[in-house]
């Protein structure tokens, strides 16, 4: 009975093919290189991992990210599109593929991936945010705003989406709504760490509402975040003049 039981236990052990084991090892080393920002080494290791096991989805995802960071954007898209084909039901992969496609200007293909991701997981905030960005790139600000606000329903503290919502609201001549969104966004950052772009847009929204003294304060604070930009300094001068 002991021999029989032992034989059954051995029979249930899964033997991993050498190619998969090697791929996983290379992938781990590649990810470690990514964490060190050693992007060239990461690309080399992950390319070898993909060559070792063509169907390993994670290796392709990691390789796509490493290639993207080195500026090899179209090669990154090829790898991530292959990952989508291997795992078409994984919504986050479709979203990242869409983000990369939008980054290289393939707007229609990015929309296709966004639609797929929303259909696969209607509660995935990044899917709605991607589709909103695609609509914005197409010049459809109203649809963009609706999708980005939907994204915020599922993830209220996505700083990038909050900023984009505020930008779209300002572009649609809704400065009060833009300002409300910006104040929600600014509450997320510790005092003194507010990004320049957020303070800048806050100043513009104040100016559009005729609150010129407040506009000066926001734009002056923005000018102290990073290198002062000529257009920002111009807007500050305009606000100072309007404030007297």
């Amino acid at each position: 009975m002991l021999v029989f039981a032992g034989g059954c236990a051995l029979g249930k052990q899964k033997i991993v093919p050498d190619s998969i084991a090697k791929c996983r090892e290379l992938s781990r080393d590649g990810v470690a290189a990514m964490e060190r920002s050693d992007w060239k080494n990461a690309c080399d290791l992950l390319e070898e991992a993909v060559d070792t096991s063509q169907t390993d989805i994670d290796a392709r995802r990691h390789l796509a990210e490493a290639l993207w960071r080195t500026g090899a954007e179209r090669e990154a898209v090829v790898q991530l599109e292959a990952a989508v084909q291997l795992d078409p039901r994984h919504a986050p992969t479709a979203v990242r593929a869409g983000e990369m496609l939008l980054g290289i200007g393939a707007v229609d293909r990015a929309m296709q991936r966004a639609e797929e991701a929303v259909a696969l997981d209607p509660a995935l905030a990044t899917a709605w945010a991607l589709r909103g960005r695609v609509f914005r790139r197409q010049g459809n600000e109203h649809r963009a705003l609706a999708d980005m606000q939907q994204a915020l329903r599922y993830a209220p503290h996505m700083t990038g989406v909050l900023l984009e919502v505020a930008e779209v609201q300002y572009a649609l001549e809704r400065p009060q709504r833009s300002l409300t969104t910006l104040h929600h966004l600014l509450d997320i950052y510790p005092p003194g760490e507010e990004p320049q772009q957020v303070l800048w847009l806050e100043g513009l929204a104040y100016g559009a509402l005729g609150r010129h003294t407040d506009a000066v304060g926001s734009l002056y604070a923005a000018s102290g975040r990073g290198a002062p930009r000529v257009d920002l300094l111009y807007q500050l001068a305009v606000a100072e003049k309007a404030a007297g």
Side-chain angles (χ1 to χ4, degrees):
M1 289 294 292
L2 289 172
V3 172
F4 179 75
C8 288
L10 289 172
K12 291 181 180 179
Q13 289 181 350
K14 299 179 73 173
I15 299 174
V16 178
D18 290 343
S19 60
I20 295 178
K22 182 64 174 176
C23 175
R24 291 174 181 173
E25 180 182 352
L26 290 164
S27 291
R28 285 194 297 270
D29 291 343
V31 170
M34 291 172 68
E35 292 171 350
R36 300 192 303 270
S37 298
D38 186 358
W39 301 110
K40 175 63 170 62
N41 191 33
C43 286
D44 291 342
L45 289 164
L46 291 165
E47 283 173 355
E48 187 177 351
V50 170
D51 289 341
T52 302
S53 179
Q54 294 284 324
T55 58
D56 191 289
I57 300 166
D58 287 335
R60 288 189 182 274
R61 290 190 190 114
H62 294 316
L63 176 57
E65 296 296 343
L67 288 167
W68 189 263
R69 292 297 295 265
T70 63
E73 296 176 350
R74 293 188 179 276
E75 292 87 343
V77 168
V78 169
Q79 293 298 330
L80 208 51
E81 285 284 84
V84 170
Q85 297 302 319
L86 289 167
D87 191 5
R89 303 293 302 171
H90 191 251
T93 302
V95 169
R96 188 63 182 125
E99 290 170 346
M100 288 187 178
L101 286 163
L102 189 61
I104 65 171
V107 179
D108 291 341
R109 289 171 63 195
M111 177 60 84
Q112 178 185 350
R113 292 293 177 230
E115 296 280 10
E116 291 168 356
V118 168
L120 287 168
D121 187 353
L124 184 62
T126 53
W128 290 102
L130 170 62
R131 200 173 74 167
R133 291 185 181 111
V134 177
F135 277 130
R136 191 179 182 193
R137 181 72 66 87
Q138 293 174 336
N140 192 337
E141 300 281 8
H142 291 280
R143 291 292 301 274
L145 182 59
D147 275 5
M148 289 178 184
Q149 288 175 327
Q150 185 75 353
L152 292 174
R153 283 187 57 199
Y154 299 111
H157 302 298
M158 294 174 69
T159 55
V161 178
L162 281 166
L163 177 57
E164 289 179 275
V165 165
E167 289 172 345
V168 173
Q169 288 169 329
Y170 181 79
L172 291 173
E173 299 182 354
R174 302 173 185 176
Q176 185 59 60
R177 292 185 182 182
S178 178
L179 194 60
T180 300
T181 303
L182 288 166
H183 287 167
H184 177 54
L185 174 57
L186 287 166
D187 286 341
I188 296 174
Y189 294 99
E193 296 184 16
E194 303 89 344
Q196 183 183 73
Q197 185 67 22
V198 179
L199 293 170
W200 188 350
L201 185 57
E202 182 189 40
L204 295 179
Y206 275 134
L209 291 168
R211 297 171 59 177
H212 302 298
T213 301
D214 290 328
V216 170
S218 296
L219 293 168
Y220 183 78
S223 69
R225 300 285 193 276
R229 293 172 50 177
V230 173
D231 43 356
L232 169 57
L233 295 176
Y234 172 77
Q235 292 293 340
L236 176 56
V238 170
E240 288 175 331
K241 182 178 179 181

